[in-house]
Amino acid sequence: MRPEALRELLARVAAGSLSPDAALAALADLPYADLGIAKLDLHRELRSGLPEAVFGEGKRDDDLLAIAQKQLAASGRLLVTRLAPERAAALAARLPGATYDGRARVLTCGPPHEESGARAAVVAAGTSDLGVAEEAAVCLSWFGHTVARRFDVGIAGLHRLLDAVPDLRLAGVIVAVAGMDGALPTLVAGLVAAPVVAVPTSVGYGTGFRGLAALLTMLNACAPGLGVVNIDNGYGAAVLAHRILRTQGRLKAP
Amino acid sequence: MRPEALRELLARVAAGSLSPDAALAALADLPYADLGIAKLDLHRELRSGLPEAVFGEGKRDDDLLAIAQKQLAASGRLLVTRLAPERAAALAARLPGATYDGRARVLTCGPPHEESGARAAVVAAGTSDLGVAEEAAVCLSWFGHTVARRFDVGIAGLHRLLDAVPDLRLAGVIVAVAGMDGALPTLVAGLVAAPVVAVPTSVGYGTGFRGLAALLTMLNACAPGLGVVNIDNGYGAAVLAHRILRTQGRLKAP
Amino acid sequence: MRPEALRELLARVAAGSLSPDAALAALADLPYADLGIAKLDLHRELRSGLPEAVFGEGKRDDDLLAIAQKQLAASGRLLVTRLAPERAAALAARLPGATYDGRARVLTCGPPHEESGARAAVVAAGTSDLGVAEEAAVCLSWFGHTVARRFDVGIAGLHRLLDAVPDLRLAGVIVAVAGMDGALPTLVAGLVAAPVVAVPTSVGYGTGFRGLAALLTMLNACAPGLGVVNIDNGYGAAVLAHRILRTQGRLKAP
Amino acid sequence: MRPEALRELLARVAAGSLSPDAALAALADLPYADLGIAKLDLHRELRSGLPEAVFGEGKRDDDLLAIAQKQLAASGRLLVTRLAPERAAALAARLPGATYDGRARVLTCGPPHEESGARAAVVAAGTSDLGVAEEAAVCLSWFGHTVARRFDVGIAGLHRLLDAVPDLRLAGVIVAVAGMDGALPTLVAGLVAAPVVAVPTSVGYGTGFRGLAALLTMLNACAPGLGVVNIDNGYGAAVLAHRILRTQGRLKAP
Amino acid sequence: MRPEALRELLARVAAGSLSPDAALAALADLPYADLGIAKLDLHRELRSGLPEAVFGEGKRDDDLLAIAQKQLAASGRLLVTRLAPERAAALAARLPGATYDGRARVLTCGPPHEESGARAAVVAAGTSDLGVAEEAAVCLSWFGHTVARRFDVGIAGLHRLLDAVPDLRLAGVIVAVAGMDGALPTLVAGLVAAPVVAVPTSVGYGTGFRGLAALLTMLNACAPGLGVVNIDNGYGAAVLAHRILRTQGRLKAP
Amino acid sequence: MRPEALRELLARVAAGSLSPDAALAALADLPYADLGIAKLDLHRELRSGLPEAVFGEGKRDDDLLAIAQKQLAASGRLLVTRLAPERAAALAARLPGATYDGRARVLTCGPPHEESGARAAVVAAGTSDLGVAEEAAVCLSWFGHTVARRFDVGIAGLHRLLDAVPDLRLAGVIVAVAGMDGALPTLVAGLVAAPVVAVPTSVGYGTGFRGLAALLTMLNACAPGLGVVNIDNGYGAAVLAHRILRTQGRLKAP
Amino acid sequence: MRPEALRELLARVAAGSLSPDAALAALADLPYADLGIAKLDLHRELRSGLPEAVFGEGKRDDDLLAIAQKQLAASGRLLVTRLAPERAAALAARLPGATYDGRARVLTCGPPHEESGARAAVVAAGTSDLGVAEEAAVCLSWFGHTVARRFDVGIAGLHRLLDAVPDLRLAGVIVAVAGMDGALPTLVAGLVAAPVVAVPTSVGYGTGFRGLAALLTMLNACAPGLGVVNIDNGYGAAVLAHRILRTQGRLKAP
Amino acid sequence: MRPEALRELLARVAAGSLSPDAALAALADLPYADLGIAKLDLHRELRSGLPEAVFGEGKRDDDLLAIAQKQLAASGRLLVTRLAPERAAALAARLPGATYDGRARVLTCGPPHEESGARAAVVAAGTSDLGVAEEAAVCLSWFGHTVARRFDVGIAGLHRLLDAVPDLRLAGVIVAVAGMDGALPTLVAGLVAAPVVAVPTSVGYGTGFRGLAALLTMLNACAPGLGVVNIDNGYGAAVLAHRILRTQGRLKAP
């Protein structure tokens, strides 16, 4: 409840136009947190420009459709992540205008967010990391940012990464995706000044432990300046990158 | 080697004031790969304004002193992290003008970086997390940023965090430090729009597994928008936050 | 039963001052092994009102049917948990009157337990947690309790949980179900006074490690007052909640 | 803020004895979220009768003293847990009337909570588990409950536990403490109808992994009806047991 | 090379019917280590009466058939373990006289080992553990021992185990099989004097971690006197039990 | 004892065909709880000849002394394991006739168990494993068995082990102790027919993970016939070996 | 950029035949790292004779084909590893002259590398390890080396390995492949002087943890002289062996 | 038993100067394996030139001295690894001519091995890794090889490593030592053709898990051609490198 609203209510009590009991009811009835926290929530949407995404795994088909439709109706946009190809067609058929990216496993519906003019780069170590990298890239594009893709620049072919460095320096944030030894983000963080969002992938086998090895490499990076997200979490990387890009310039305002 | 310096060198060769051999020596003195890569490195310093920090653990006393002195001589500044109190006095005695913060376990020497005008917030869940939180805060101050501290705002006392929200919204980046269940950064990421740098601490016992539980909580945060650093890595959080703050506005330039 | 007491009892039978039947009753009432332990078991059933549930996984179809029929015959009721939908139809066809809840994966047969008048609440963080939450809720209803469901109240949408708080305060026990970061039970325990039964779910991916991250969060909860059960163990949560509700009032008896 | 206090404040505004601005100030003085959430917090204290306990580890001596004094001043009572004997004397010397239990490593100050009339039992598997068991027992006594202790009743000496069963059946809740194989709580849950709070301890060696083996045993208990807390967390077990005992009877109220 | 064969060879050299060089060749032809170690190996077969078993998993169909046939030809007996039902029929069809036990997943061919007169007991905690328990029981029977089966005697129904104790006391070794909390072998070891072979099974879910919880329970058993084998390793348990039974009496020989 | 049997017995007492004393004897011989379980326990002592050992770690000095004295008084013998040298002198001073073995960290008091005539072998891989190996050997000697020690026969010096094989074949059971790669027990099990008790030790570093690597090696032994005990658990190995030796011959009795 | 090239460029500037700006452009235009590092990369190919292999898992069919064709066109040879049989036929059909080894899961195309005259040995513990062993052997043959295979020489049948020792001594490097307890490489390293490349396999079950047990055994080998590669990584073992064989003799050059 | 000795024995049997029974006794009496395997062992020493090293940890002082003296007497040389400085002085005082390297924690006694003419390189990522790196370097020098040290060339300062590449190319083997993210060996393997021995160190904190993160990085290296040893195992790396260097050229012999 905003202070002005509260002041007005109290004034009405003082003026006798509202009884103490009615005021009490109004205050008690307004689930205090509800009022306040829901407002916070609206703030969050207004400021970040991001309605909640729908996680496409582990939901029953009917639940997923209902949630997607509700989300689309509420915000005019829909972003479904980790949506398996075999489920995508059926869902898209029920959502007019939906677009599905099979490599990124991302479904979007409605108009993309307006262009921000900001620039992100997404780098990936190997071909097998492309799914996760594209999830990040597709989401960042959907959020309105320009995305430079530089894939297959893993540490075993160092020159390919070094070639990409000038391009990476133009980006306000770099999403670095790698499985197996997960060394790429560290290397990137040592070569550029932008913040690096590190995404381990489950690519690999044996002691890769489905991404754990890559994750630990990133958390123990000798070069500081990177933040790590969950294994295979391209979407989470995109949201963090979006927040970084979005707040750029905000604090410079008078 | 900066472009201007190279241009000047070449001009002197063209003008005859520098022989090709002398120029070669100057260039050759920078070993081949070194030429390029060293340049990168200077770029890195110029752009991020951060000379390398010295990690105070696991080094012998004589090694630590030698490295600290060399770093100080080279860049005019020195930042030593994770320096145990019992070793700090002896080191500081050999480094005129050094300052040691016992809670943050950070030693600095030389002038702080110039003020950036940017604002960071550091929040911590409990009193036992203060050491790590202060490591981040002291470093961020040293890097030239304004730092708002909000400690003891853990999830068990929700109102204390909610009280802090308006203040947190003024920050361009938020460093959230928590041990035990590590839920604070998730909560913060759900309440503000700024990027959140999540720092798990080794505070706790039993199944806390020296910070592993907190780390996993942060990596699996329901609220996207946070990047995680290593357990107890206050310095790493500060560098990532610095990169985020520093690049703010850069891309808005014409 | 001590030897002396037993000797005395036998002497009374020999002396005719105690009939064999009365002695039998006395003995049946006491010894706690053979007899004794079986009796304990009857005590357990009588007091908790809960015949043993049948775990539906890892059993062959013929074993499962035989056990279910025997259980039903013995106690007049049957509760099968973790029964996959593809096996449920065949089993139900052999058990007249059986009911199967596909979301909870629970099959029941026979009359529900009589109403207790007690009230439990089941809260769940996300839509993907519904299966486990429903397992708990369906079992609690089957045990005779009133169950208030509050789903999709995860930490990322704090106001939704805060809205539910007044309702949660009416419950004698709260079952809180969450996957991913598993922060919901901690939050609930900080907001209400009732005991909280925390259920981690295997919902998530990567470092969620099939529920391990959520489990650790709950075990390290900053807010005390919660007890944790196995990952995805909605049934176990229901039994613990049932015990808590059931003993309410028992100790107040004269 | 309690409803009665709010009603009174509004009545004073209606009666003209308090100006709207003064009322606003009084309300505003409680920061917005604070208003609601602080109220919750007071509710929590009023209902559970438990001011926050102070965790004695990982805090600097001066921090610990300051927090203890503040807590004592605020609530009239103080409970410090996991306080090492070597630190206890110094702290107690600064807190008039403080009592320290060396085995439980618990310091209390101020009057115990009023007697509840409820009864808890604390059982422990071995002599080495006594510290944790006493932490639970001392806290439960401090919370006002009658505590029956039954120690050294581990699974290797089954008859000792069976002997204790009649006594355990009198308790509204049972706290079962065990290290090594951690089988005791399972056994207890199979023998009594009361809810069981299971506490793994770090007692053991090798594959005990500092309590992990015991923890896993408890989480996988064949006998349902127990809730698990963190390794060595006697205090947490006591709070959960307190909540269970405390809510007993509450729901029977008209 | 058996001693008699060596003695005969030397006799032929002494008798001049074999030249030293021919004898040398014969001996040299048996690679030195082979001579000795192959003898050891024969000793092993003679003494333990157990030809090598064939592990049925992870082999290609053609490899499995070839190995089975060779083993059968060499020793006149064949024991294949962990043979999936869907592969068993095809294999059995190529091995005249083969018998397949679907629950134990064991295929045998040729005559069983002669009766030892020794007695083993196999106990299992739950119905889902039957496959592993039967693997042990079927193998022990195949090895010639009398096997008493006592299944479904888990810790949650203590009286069922106690009922079985007199019977268990007749056995020279007890194989105790349990998943989930894995407490059964500990309990058995506390009740009988015979050595206990503990077999954790992968039965359970969540923090059972496919048998790890049960394994740790057994390794940390409060009651000494048990030895643990790999998860689900019914065959290994049977071989250890066989060795224990077989050496009984051997050392009493003059 | 089934109710019918009990009823019949009581009827016979009432009819005078069975005296109360005879009935008492029959019942005392049977009930297996209170009575029953305590009797079981006596059976256990009588049959295994092993009073409970006292675990020397994690107990306070006064607790340890009290338990040791009580145990000594009760059984006339005392065995304390894992007793640190710095605590042993003080304890021994209070226990007349106590003997302490510093390498095995074992204290004994009272007469050793009578000689069994059975023979055990204890083998150890390296010098650093001697402490654990001696714990097993000293306990086995204390239990009355002849113990052959063969230390420093690790897999890297294969001939040393092969040399020992003839000697190992004389033993009814072999305790094989190894840290680091833990391969010794597997090798032994492949060379002899006796049951092998495998004891991993915490000797090693890095990925030895304090004995975990050795433990896993033993659990996954290619050669069947071994049972594994907890890391560093020399005492547990000795009890298992004792049970194996002790039951040898028992089943051959008429 | 080689020194001579740089000297020439500077000479042209001094001679006026190249303007400073043109020289600057040449230097700036030569992506320093690109030029230099790409050259390094060519060095790597020239010296090791190994074009990059294609990892066959986790790539989409179209990606795999494109990469394979490009690789074949670039180097005239193609090596695809971990290619599942069900995908191999389709790929081979598009690559004229391709050969697929179903056991090794390796596809090659183009002429093998020229014969080196060097000799490697590949030993494997069991039949189930053959796939990984053949991956190593097929690759080593493809690299031009003579390969001696000795399979099924696991630690349980010691004499089979000892038989093979003379043969193993002829090899310049030994690749030792083992699952389950993983003891084979240690044993080999204790018997021969050549470097041993140890390959753990995921063969086994339960506590084998998909190769982790074998890996730890190898890393903790008592016998030094072995280097470990990832679980199931036959290809990596082959490349390391190739490097060892290839550099043999190189340093003896004048 | 050498062929000549066997031939002579057989000749004596043929000549009648030795009875078949005496020959049998001689053959049987010579513990075949003993004779043979000990010979192997001598072969091992002769061929690798490396007497066994003494592991300095976990041994009692008197054991360590006895073993060291025996080893020195037997082979004329002594190498003790992982010897803590506080124990080194006392040991050295008893071993005339001993040399102790405090950083490497290595004690040597007797003449170094003769110079091999081969060249190894040891690279280390950071200053804190020097102890392990020096252990490898000191051992390699002791084994007679020329050692080039390149320390502090971690991935965060890429140019320092690239500078060292030409030097690394002269080495027949490269030992690469790194803690934290452990990326250095991968990088090295991508830049040179020699085999790389990767040594993870326990340097780091938090999720470094005492070297586990570095180990996993190395095992999952994208660039093939490296073999990994145990964490902190500088000595093991040196022995593997020695084997590689030593066998270089051996196979080229006629």
Side-chain angles (χ1 to χ4, degrees), chain C residues 1-3 6-7 9-11 13-14 18 20-21 23-24 27-28 31-37, chain F residues 1-3 6-7 9-11 13-14 18 20-21 23-24 27-28 31-37:
Chain C
M1 187 169 229
R2 287 163 305 152
L6 185 55
R7 181 190 304 271
L9 184 144
L10 290 169
V13 172
L18 191 71
D21 277 357
L24 180 63
L27 285 169
Y32 53 65
D34 146 47
L35 255 191
I37 297 296
Chain F
M1 187 169 231
R2 287 162 305 153
L6 185 55
R7 183 190 304 269
L9 184 145
L10 290 169
V13 172
L18 191 72
D21 276 358
L24 180 62
L27 286 169
Y32 52 65
D34 147 45
L35 256 190
I37 297 297

Side-chain angles (χ1 to χ4, degrees), chain D residues 175-191:
Chain D
V175 175
V177 180
M180 300 187 69
D181 60 23
L184 179 61
T186 306
L187 210 56
V188 171
L191 292 170

Side-chain angles (χ1 to χ4, degrees), chain A residues 1 3 6-7 9-11 13-14 18-21 23-24 27-28 32-33 35-40, chain D residues 3 6-7 9-11 13-14 18-21 23-25 27-28 32-33 35-40:
Chain A
M1 187 168 231
L6 184 54
R7 181 189 306 269
L9 185 144
L10 291 169
V13 172
L18 192 71
S19 71
D21 277 356
L24 180 62
L27 285 170
Y32 87 94
L35 182 78
I37 297 297
K39 190 165 52 179
L40 288 187
Chain D
L6 183 55
R7 182 190 305 269
L9 185 143
L10 291 169
V13 172
L18 190 70
S19 73
D21 276 356
L24 181 62
L27 287 169
Y32 141 83
L35 177 74
I37 298 298
K39 188 164 56 176
L40 287 187

Side-chain angles (χ1 to χ4, degrees), chain G residues 76-202:
Chain G
R77 287 190 182 96
L78 173 67
L79 175 64
V80 184
T81 62
R82 296 177 78 92
L83 182 65
E86 56 273 22
R87 300 180 69 195
L91 183 63
R94 304 289 293 272
L95 299 168
T99 302
Y100 179 69
D101 186 314
R103 198 185 281 276
R105 297 195 302 157
V106 163
L107 179 148
T108 51
C109 200
H113 295 255
E114 66 175 317
E115 291 191 14
S116 70
R119 182 182 184 87
V122 177
V123 299
T127 310
S128 303
D129 301 315
L130 284 195
V132 176
E134 279 294 341
E135 186 188 47
V138 166
C139 289
L140 276 166
S141 293
W142 173 256
F143 297 158
H145 310 294
T146 300
V147 180
R149 286 168 171 85
R150 284 291 189 144
F151 297 158
D152 200 18
V153 292
I155 188 174
L158 198 55
H159 57 296
R160 291 171 302 186
L161 174 62
L162 293 180
D163 265 0
V165 165
D167 211 36
L168 300 183
R169 290 208 175 116
L170 301 177
V173 65
I174 298 170
V175 175
V177 180
M180 298 186 70
D181 60 24
L184 179 63
T186 306
L187 209 56
V188 171
L191 292 171
V192 304
V196 175
V197 179
V199 192
T201 71
S202 55

Side-chain angles (χ1 to χ4, degrees), chain H residues 200-227:
Chain H
T201 71
S202 54
V203 169
Y205 58 93
T207 55
F209 294 129
R210 300 188 165 273
L212 181 59
L215 171 76
L216 293 181
T217 305
M218 295 172 190
L219 287 170
N220 289 280
C222 294
L226 49 82

Side-chain angles (χ1 to χ4, degrees), chain E residues 21-66:
Chain E
D21 276 358
L24 181 61
L27 287 169
D29 188 46
L30 301 168
Y32 122 90
D34 167 60
L35 178 75
I37 297 297
K39 188 166 54 179
L40 287 188
D41 200 51
L42 290 176
H43 273 200
R44 185 160 63 102
E45 283 201 42
L46 286 174
R47 289 175 56 190
S48 71
L50 295 183
E52 199 175 356
V54 178
F55 186 73
E57 281 182 0
K59 292 190 175 65
R60 311 202 319 183
D61 286 342
D62 50 348
D63 288 348
L64 181 59
L65 177 62

Side-chain angles (χ1 to χ4, degrees), chain E residues 37 40-41 43-44 47-48 116-119 159 162-166 169-173 188-196 215-216 219-220 223-230 233 235-236 239-240 243-252, chain F residues 1 32-33 37 39-41 43-44 47-48 116-119 162 165 169-173 188-196 215-216 219-220 223-230 233 235-236 239-240 243-252:
Chain E
I37 297 297
L40 287 188
D41 200 51
H43 273 200
R44 185 160 63 102
R47 289 175 56 190
S48 71
S116 70
R119 181 183 184 89
H159 57 295
L162 294 180
D163 267 359
V165 165
R169 290 207 176 116
L170 301 177
V173 66
V188 170
L191 292 171
V192 303
V196 175
L215 171 77
L216 293 181
L219 288 170
N220 289 280
L226 50 82
V228 187
V229 299
N230 196 3
N233 191 6
Y235 166 71
V239 174
L240 176 54
R243 288 193 177 205
I244 291 171
L245 291 175
R246 193 177 177 289
T247 56
Q248 286 177 350
R250 186 175 65 87
L251 300 180
K252 299 299 184 192
Chain F
M1 187 169 231
Y32 52 65
I37 297 297
K39 191 165 54 176
L40 286 189
D41 201 51
H43 274 200
R44 186 160 64 105
R47 288 175 55 188
S48 71
S116 71
R119 181 181 183 89
L162 293 180
V165 165
R169 290 206 175 118
L170 301 178
V173 66
V188 170
L191 292 172
V192 303
V196 175
L215 171 77
L216 293 182
L219 287 171
N220 289 280
L226 49 82
V228 186
V229 298
N230 196 1
N233 191 5
Y235 166 72
V239 173
L240 175 54
R243 288 192 176 205
I244 291 172
L245 291 175
R246 193 177 177 290
T247 57
Q248 287 178 346
R250 184 174 65 87
L251 299 180
K252 299 300 184 189

Side-chain angles (χ1 to χ4, degrees), chain H residues 97-110:
Chain H
T99 301
Y100 179 70
D101 185 315
R103 199 185 279 273
R105 296 194 303 157
V106 164
L107 180 147
T108 52
C109 200

